[in-house]
Amino acid sequence: MTIHHKMDKPDHRNRLDDMAQGLLSTGMDRPDGPLKVTGTATYAHEDHQPAMLHGVLARATIARGTLDGVLAEAVESLPGVKAVMWGDKFPRNPAQGTANEAPVQGSSEIYYIGQPIALVVAETFEQARHGAQALELQMTLGKAVTDPHADDIAVERPKDQQTSQGDLDAAMQDAAFTVDRTYTTPGHSSAPMEPHTAVAWWAGDQLFVRSSSQMLKYNKNEIADAVGISPKAVHMKSPYVGGGFGSKLGISPDAVTAALASRELGVPVSVMMSRQQVFEATMRRSETVQHFRLAADAEGLLTGIGHIARVSQLPDESFSEPVTQATPFLYRGENRETGIEIVRVNSTCAGSVRAPGEAVGITALEIAMDELAVASGIDPVELRRRNIPEQDPSDGRAFSSHKLEDALDDGAQSFGWADREKGRSDGDWLIGYGMASAVRVNMIGKSAARVTLNPDGTVLIETDMTDIGTGTYAILTQIAGELLGVSQDKIETRLGDSDLPESAGSGGSWGASSAGSSVFLACEKMRQDIAKKLGCDEGDLTLKDGIATAANQQTPLSDLIGDAPMIAEGEIEPGETMTAVRQATFGAFFAEVGVNCVTGEARVRRMHGSFAAGRILNPKTARSQCLGGMTFGIGMALTEELIHDARDGHLVNRDLAEYHIPVNADVPQLTVNFLHERDPYANPMQAKGIGELGICGAGASIVNAIFDATGVRVRDLPATMDKILPGLPDL
C-alpha cells in the first residue's frame, strides 16, 4: 500500500520527538563504512562483467568547429582494439541536473576543447587508451568565443532573472554609508574522488548500466533518450558513489558511449573518464563577475541592495549559475535590484557544483557586507544582526523558521569573537579575524521508498536513492529503526537501484529530507496498522527493541506481524508549503587567519561554523557535511580556480596536481555547532538540507579575516599571494 503525502500544510506534531528507540539524532556509524574501508563496497569501475571490453574517449582539440573525419583504420589494426566509434548519439556534455532527457548530442559539431567525440574500444584499458591517444581526428577550426570577459562579447539578460523594487539609485544617493564594488570568482570543479565511470551491457532489448550517478530517477530517462529506447528497458545501479558534488547529477558521456558500444559489439563495455577528462568534460561552476551596491543609513540599516552577476555557459544550455538566489531574502532593504547576465563561450559546460548560486553569490555578498561594516564602524556581527528581516523583503512571505540571529550569537560565543585581539601578530604572521553569514534555500523533491517488516522482526528499506558519501544508508536506517523500534543490526537498506521506488536522488541538499520523509511515511503507516491490531491510537503506541507497548501491555512485534511481511510504501512530494513561506537554512562562519608579512601567504589557523538545519537526523554525518563544506570554503578563498587559456579556451589545470583543492596542511581544526530547530513547513520530519549550507559564505569569512590582518581587500578570488603581497603594510 502506498501512502502519498503532499506538503500542503505544516506538520506541527513533532512526531519524532516522542519515539523510544533512541536511534535517530545520534551519531550512529555508517552501515556502509566497514565495506568502504575494507574495499568490499564495489564502485562502478570495479563491476567486472564476463567478456567485458574497455572504452576510452578521444577528445576534441579545438574550441569550435567540425569533425570532418576519423582515421579509424590505423587504430583498428592495433593489438586488442575492437572498434572505433563516433556519431550523432555521442553526448556533447553531461545532462544538467533533473534534465530528464538527453543532453545535446552529436560528434560532428565541436563546441569546446575536451569534448568527447570518439570512443576506442579494446580488450584492455591500456590498449583502448593507446588507441585513443593514437587516433587521428580531422577537424576544421571554426570561430570560437573563449574569453568570457571580452569587451565585445554578446550578453544575454533573461527577463525572468531580473528583479527590481523601489529606487536603488536614490537609496545609494541618500545613504549614510555605501558599498559599490565588483567581486569576481573563478570557475570551480567538483573534483570528486571517484572519476565518472559506467559499465553497460544488454540482454536483448534491456539495457543494464552500472554507473556513478546521483539521481537514478532522472538518469534512466536521460540515457534511454540518448540511445533511443524506452526508460522501461533501462536498469541502472549506483549503490556506491565516490563523491559527486553535482557533477554526477545528469547522465555523462561515459554511460552513453558505454551503452552505444555494448549494443554494437554485443558484450559489456566499461568506460571510465580519466581525471583530465573529468575536469574537461563534466560540469564546471561558472566564473562570476558580481557587482554589488549596498546602501545603509547612519545606524547601519540597509535601505538598498543591488546584485548583478555575469556568468558563462555553452550555447544551447538553459542552466545558468543562480548567483543571486539568496540575495533577495538574506537582509532587509526596501530598494532592491538583482539580475543575471549570461555570456556564451566555447568552454566546458557550466552546471551545478555544490550549492549552485549561494556558494559564490553569498561569498561575494558577505565580503561586501564586511566592507559596509568597516565603512560604518559597526561590528560585523552586529551589522548583520540589525539587518535580519522579519519577512522575505522581496515578496512579503513569512519565513518558515529563521535562525540566523541565533547562529550569529552562538558562533560568536563559541569562537570568542568579542575577545579577539586587533592588530595581533605571531612572528612573521599577521593575525586577523573574519566572519560571514551562511544561507541556503531549502526544498524537497518527490520521493518514494518501500519498507518491509518481516515476521522475524527484521526490516528492509528499498529506494533508488543514492549515497554519495553523505550518509544516506545511515540516516534511512535510523528513521526506520526509530519509528519501528528496531535496532540497527536488524535493518537492511538497499539503495541505488532504478528498479526500486523512485526517490528525489542526491542533490540540492534535499536527499535526506525527501527520501527520509518517504521512509517516515511508510513506517508511520506500519505503526498505524500495528496500533489497530492492539486497539489503540498510533500516538499511544510505543515500539522499542522489537516490543510493542500499549495500555501497559507488551507484545512481541513478531506476534503482531503474522506469517506474511508487512509492506508499506511512502511517497512525499512538495506542495503549498514550498511557496507559501520562505524556506531556508542559516548559519554563521568565524575564522582566524594568519598572513605571512614576508611572502603574503595566507593560512587558516582555526574556523568555526554554527548552523540551523531543522532536525539533525545524524549529528556525525551532518557534522561531516559541514566540515566538507567549510573545507570547500577554504579552497574557494585561497586556492581553487579553473584556469582557461583565453586564446583557445583550453583548460590549463585539468588535474589534481594543478587544480589546488585544500589538503591536510591547509585545513586546521574546524568546529561545528548545530542549533535546535524544528521547521514544520519543511516535511513531516521537520528536517532541512545540510549538505551545502557549510560552503555558502565560508570563503568570505576567510577573505574578511585577511583584510582584518593586513588591510588588503581581495575582491578577485582566490586570495593568492600575488594579490595580497603588493598591499601588505611596511613593517
Side-chain angles (χ1 to χ4, degrees):
M1 181 178 183
T2 299
I3 306 302
H4 179 83
H5 182 70
K6 189 175 182 181
M7 278 300 297
D8 285 330
K9 297 180 180 179
D11 191 330
H12 293 283
R13 295 178 299 161
N14 297 336
R15 194 67 190 90
L16 289 172
D17 289 348
D18 302 325
M19 297 296 139
Q21 186 65 27
L23 189 61
L24 192 64
S25 297
T26 68
M28 189 191 87
D29 291 339
R30 302 169 186 249
D32 51 314
L35 301 177
K36 291 180 176 178
V37 299
T38 57
T40 51
T42 55
Y43 290 82
H45 193 59
E46 299 171 308
D47 193 325
H48 297 290
Q49 296 294 317
M52 185 175 75
L53 301 177
H54 298 266
V56 172
L57 294 162
R59 60 192 279 273
T61 56
I62 60 174
R64 187 71 177 98
T66 57
L67 175 64
D68 302 321
V70 178
L71 303 184
E73 291 184 4
V75 171
E76 289 171 337
S77 66
L78 292 173
V81 173
K82 298 298 183 182
V84 178
M85 303 177 61
W86 66 98
D88 59 5
K89 290 191 178 299
F90 269 52
R92 179 186 71 173
N93 49 264
Q96 297 287 350
T98 70
N100 226 25
E101 62 183 8
V104 175
Q105 292 176 275
S107 293
S108 60
E109 288 288 327
I110 297 171
Y111 285 89
Y112 63 96
I113 291 177
Q115 178 180 327
I117 54 176
L119 180 75
V120 176
V121 183
E123 294 175 355
T124 69
F125 169 76
E126 290 79 11
Q127 291 169 335
R129 181 177 60 184
H130 176 60
Q133 291 172 341
L135 185 64
E136 185 175 344
L137 303 170
Q138 295 179 324
M139 294 171 280
T140 298
L141 181 64
K143 185 177 181 180
V145 178
T146 57
D147 183 2
H149 306 300
D151 293 336
D152 59 348
I153 196 167
V155 180
E156 302 172 15
R157 296 178 177 86
K159 289 184 179 180
D160 62 349
Q161 296 188 56
Q162 320 298 318
T163 69
S164 179
Q165 63 187 82
D167 189 337
L168 182 59
D169 290 336
M172 291 291 288
Q173 184 174 353
D174 297 339
F177 307 105
T178 62
V179 172
D180 189 345
R181 293 289 188 179
T182 297
Y183 307 86
T184 60
T185 63
H188 298 134
S189 173
S190 293
M193 183 181 295
E194 178 200 19
H196 295 57
T197 302
V199 180
W201 64 98
W202 295 76
D205 295 331
Q206 185 78 23
L207 171 61
F208 296 86
V209 182
R210 178 68 192 274
S211 66
S212 183
S213 304
Q214 294 182 224
M215 291 182 157
L216 298 189
K217 175 172 68 176
Y218 302 102
N219 302 148
K220 68 180 180 183
N221 295 332
E222 293 157 0
I223 195 169
D225 189 29
V227 303
I229 61 175
S230 168
K232 295 180 180 179
V234 177
H235 186 185
M236 295 186 70
K237 287 188 175 183
S238 294
Y240 303 106
V241 180
F245 308 112
S247 70
K248 299 172 183 175
L249 290 175
I251 207 71
S252 47
D254 53 296
V256 177
T257 56
L260 294 171
S262 177
R263 181 164 62 182
E264 180 168 315
L265 298 173
V267 294
V269 174
S270 168
V271 176
M272 181 184 73
M273 300 178 74
S274 68
R275 184 65 64 187
Q276 290 79 9
Q277 289 171 338
V278 169
F279 272 85
E280 281 188 330
T282 68
M283 297 304 186
R284 66 179 170 93
R285 192 197 305 279
S286 171
E287 74 292 327
T288 73
V289 178
Q290 303 180 51
H291 180 209
F292 275 95
R293 291 192 291 166
L294 304 181
D297 65 16
E299 301 301 318
L301 297 178
L302 284 164
T303 57
I305 299 179
H307 186 185
I308 306 298
R310 179 173 296 187
V311 299
S312 69
Q313 180 58 288
L314 274 173
D316 305 315
E317 290 290 324
S318 60
F319 174 87
S320 58
E321 182 81 16
V323 182
T324 62
Q325 187 163 250
T327 304
F329 66 85
L330 181 56
Y331 296 122
R332 71 182 305 279
E334 53 271 29
N335 303 287
R336 316 177 73 84
E337 182 179 302
T338 67
I340 298 291
E341 301 176 344
I342 306 170
V343 296
R344 302 291 176 176
V345 295
N346 297 109
S347 182
T348 304
C349 188
S352 295
V353 176
R354 193 174 193 175
E358 288 95 331
V360 285
I362 294 304
T363 295
L365 172 57
E366 288 302 289
I367 299 173
M369 284 293 287
D370 196 67
E371 297 210 48
L372 183 62
V374 172
S376 63
I378 300 172
D379 178 87
V381 173
E382 176 59 25
L383 177 67
R384 288 162 174 81
R385 188 187 288 111
R386 292 181 188 182
N387 283 289
I388 295 174
E390 294 184 1
Q391 58 191 21
D392 187 331
S394 66
D395 56 23
R397 283 184 294 169
F399 288 97
S400 61
S401 64
H402 201 302
K403 291 284 185 176
L404 177 55
E405 184 172 6
D406 292 342
L408 290 169
D409 292 344
D410 181 83
Q413 182 176 3
S414 297
F415 183 79
W417 180 256
D419 300 325
R420 69 194 188 282
E421 182 182 345
K422 299 286 289 184
R424 181 183 162 207
S425 62
D426 182 2
D428 289 338
W429 296 87
L430 307 174
I431 311 302
Y433 304 89
M435 59 79 53
S437 296
V439 63
R440 174 73 173 146
V441 293
N442 186 69
M443 66 196 89
I444 60 169
K446 188 176 182 180
S447 197
R450 181 168 55 245
V451 178
T452 302
L453 181 56
N454 295 305
D456 62 359
T458 60
V459 175
L460 174 64
I461 304 165
E462 297 175 294
T463 172
D464 77 356
M465 179 63 185
T466 53
D467 189 328
I468 60 174
T470 46
T472 310
Y473 280 103
I475 289 166
L476 299 190
T477 297
Q478 289 174 275
I479 294 169
E482 190 68 37
L483 284 158
L484 299 179
V486 178
S487 59
Q488 173 190 352
D489 60 314
K490 293 185 177 181
I491 302 173
E492 179 187 357
T493 300
R494 294 179 185 170
L495 303 177
D497 186 330
S498 67
D499 279 0
L500 300 179
E502 294 181 343
S503 73
S506 296
S509 292
W510 69 10
S513 295
S514 304
S517 291
S518 64
V519 172
F520 173 97
L521 293 170
C523 293
E524 189 173 47
K525 170 57 179 171
M526 287 184 173
R527 289 179 58 89
Q528 293 167 355
D529 292 343
I530 293 169
K532 186 176 182 180
K533 291 183 178 183
L534 292 173
C536 69
D537 292 333
E538 184 271 328
D540 297 328
L541 172 68
T542 299
L543 297 178
K544 183 178 181 182
D545 297 331
I547 301 295
T549 303
N552 293 322
Q553 296 292 320
Q554 292 189 335
T555 307
L557 200 54
S558 56
D559 292 350
L560 298 168
I561 299 171
D563 296 331
M566 296 179 64
I567 302 174
E569 187 167 316
E571 184 180 69
I572 187 84
E573 72 169 301
E576 293 181 8
T577 61
M578 281 285 291
T579 55
V581 293
R582 165 61 69 185
Q583 291 190 36
T585 53
F586 295 94
F589 301 101
F590 294 82
E592 177 183 313
V593 173
V595 179
N596 191 285
C597 65
V598 178
T599 66
E601 176 188 8
R603 285 204 169 273
V604 181
R605 294 162 63 98
R606 62 187 178 103
M607 191 173 182
H608 173 79
S610 289
F611 305 104
R615 184 187 304 276
I616 302 300
L617 302 173
N618 183 318
K620 181 183 292 184
T621 59
R623 179 177 179 272
S624 179
Q625 288 296 293
C626 293
L627 295 177
M630 292 162 71
T631 302
F632 259 72
I634 293 172
M636 185 185 299
L638 300 179
T639 61
E640 291 188 46
E641 60 178 325
L642 290 176
I643 301 173
H644 290 85
D645 190 322
R647 297 170 299 177
D648 62 6
H650 83 272
L651 180 58
V652 176
N653 55 337
R654 57 194 186 110
D655 55 37
L656 294 175
E658 299 300 329
Y659 181 81
H660 298 148
I661 62 173
V663 297
N664 285 354
D666 299 314
V667 183
Q669 184 65 40
L670 308 178
T671 57
V672 171
N673 290 351
F674 292 118
L675 307 182
H676 179 83
E677 181 183 25
R678 301 286 186 265
D679 190 337
Y681 290 85
N683 50 71
M685 300 188 302
Q686 304 168 322
K688 288 180 168 181
I690 193 67
E692 296 168 314
L693 180 61
I695 187 178
C696 302
S701 67
I702 297 167
V703 174
N704 294 340
I706 291 173
F707 174 82
D708 185 61
T710 66
V712 178
R713 179 67 71 182
V714 178
R715 302 185 181 94
D716 176 29
L717 300 189
T720 47
M721 291 183 286
D722 56 304
K723 300 170 186 174
I724 297 173
L725 189 60
L728 287 178
D730 294 330
L731 297 178

